[in-house]
Amino acid sequence: GRPGRARRAGAAALTLAMVASLPLAWRAERNPRLAREESRAVDVAAAGQYPMERRVAADIAAMGLGRGAVITDVAYSFPVVLSAEDPRVYVITVDGDFDALLADPLLNGVSYALLASPDTAPADAVAERYPGMWEDGAGRAEMVRQWSDGRGLTWRLYRFTG
């Protein structure tokens, strides 16, 4: 009786506290002084400024790839990853094993690399590891798909070959 009732009351109090804090979290997320990156991402996404990135994510999803199949530098590709039907398809720079997977993608089950054009992604981690990747696959990959928009932004998907 009593322990079960106390546990339920505690769970209810915790749930109420979490639900009550959501409006504050949402408000903080929109305040650039409290959440610089989040507020910008929310504003830009709300304005529909990532249509091409949504298309890239949809096209990659249509390929039916498994978990960790595409490696990408999320500092630049965050709109693609956030738009993804299954973000687990992507290995991103904040993953603890990113560097190890990038060092030998094929051995580690990574089949593709997604890069933005160097003029918009000057410090891309994948391009830095494999100089020349954007231009010709750096002798390690072949381009399988390219997306471009009217603003000069281009994305390329490369398949690792060796």
Side-chain angles (χ1 to χ4, degrees), residues 35 93 131:
T93 41

Side-chain angles (χ1 to χ4, degrees), residues 31-140:
N31 184 334
R33 290 181 54 218
L34 300 174
R36 183 180 53 186
E37 292 86 5
E38 291 84 353
S39 68
R40 183 168 185 262
V42 167
D43 291 345
V44 171
Q49 294 190 13
Y50 293 126
M52 183 173 59
E53 287 79 358
R54 286 193 301 275
R55 182 76 211 152
V56 171
D59 289 349
I60 291 173
M63 294 171 69
L65 303 174
R67 183 181 187 137
V70 180
I71 197 162
T72 188
D73 187 332
V74 76
Y76 303 105
S77 62
F78 71 91
V80 174
V81 176
L82 290 175
S83 298
E85 189 175 297
D86 182 3
R88 295 172 302 173
V89 167
Y90 299 89
V91 176
I92 59 176
T93 41
V94 296
D95 290 339
D97 56 354
F98 180 86
D99 290 330
L101 295 174
L102 185 58
D104 197 340
L106 288 176
L107 180 68
N108 291 299
V110 177
S111 303
Y112 297 90
L114 178 66
L115 286 85
S117 52
D119 56 325
T120 57
D124 184 279
V126 178
E128 285 185 347
R129 175 68 172 86
Y130 298 110
M133 176 72 85
W134 179 261
E135 293 78 14
D136 60 14
R140 305 263 330 213

Side-chain angles (χ1 to χ4, degrees), residues 11-48:
L14 181 60
T15 301
L16 179 61
M18 288 174 51
V19 169
S21 69
L22 283 176
L24 180 60
W26 291 329
R27 186 174 179 156
E29 184 178 70
R30 293 190 172 278
N31 184 334
R33 290 181 54 218
L34 300 174
R36 183 180 53 186
E37 292 86 5
E38 291 84 353
S39 68
R40 183 168 185 262
V42 167
D43 291 345
V44 171

